[in-house]
Amino acid sequence: MSIVSVQNLTKIFPRNTCALNKVSFQIDDNIFLAILGPSGAGKSTLLRSINRLVTPTSGKIFLNDQDITLIHGKKLSMIRKNIGMIFQQYNLIERLDVLTNVLIGSLYMQTPFNKLRSCLLHTFSKQEKIQGLDCLSILNLMECAHQRVDTLSGGQKQRVAIARTLMQNPRIILADEPVASLDPVSTAIVLDYLKKIHITKNIPVIINLHQADLAKKYAQRIIGMNSGEIVFDGNLKNLTNDQLSVIYQGSQT
């Protein structure tokens, strides 16, 4: 059974801007996969399509052999419960404390009534709070549990976002440029934790990256993109300087 299967995925935005052009790949096992490429290569559009934050123009997306390409409403919400999404900008509520932000990840799993209650009153069950603290422990953030998010560093905020994702008990984690705004030390810490979670919890990770050195260090498989197309798909051993030149052809960075 395929974990993710993308078939001839195309996304054309207004003014005929082609972000994805017949992109195809498949993930059949638990893997740490890096999507590498310059800005504008289509990496974010691809990841957001897998989570259905972007609706493709054509092509198919399968998650655990279920076609999720055209589903909407409640069915889409059910699918998203299984997909952890980590963004570059953290998407945290900075005036709230760390634990509450993590607990918000559990709202995916609640009934509509309980979700509304928890959102308005910030009330969560004892079991949810225990799980939230456990997620913070995994990210070494227990001492920050009752600290306001706006007092944290960028690296700590991204670790809070990862802990929030773990509250969903996701089957797969998608990370869209999660270290693009971080310094080198924080970058290493965040990626080390993502790799640890991938290994210890057997969760596949698909991560978008600009930096080839990070992809080489952390990924088991690398997909290189340029101008909305896959120009490389292989492991570290096959990622030669010539292949990197193809991936970054035309890039100004």
Side-chain angles (χ1 to χ4, degrees), residues 59-76:
K60 296 287 186 180
I61 306 166
F62 293 86
L63 184 66
N64 295 320
D65 286 343
Q66 179 181 359
D67 186 353
I68 65 168
T69 314
L70 298 177
I71 61 173
H72 298 282
K74 291 182 178 179
K75 290 184 178 180
L76 180 56

Side-chain angles (χ1 to χ4, degrees), residues 178-189:
V179 296
S181 302
L182 303 182
D183 61 77
V185 173
S186 297
T187 290
I189 291 172

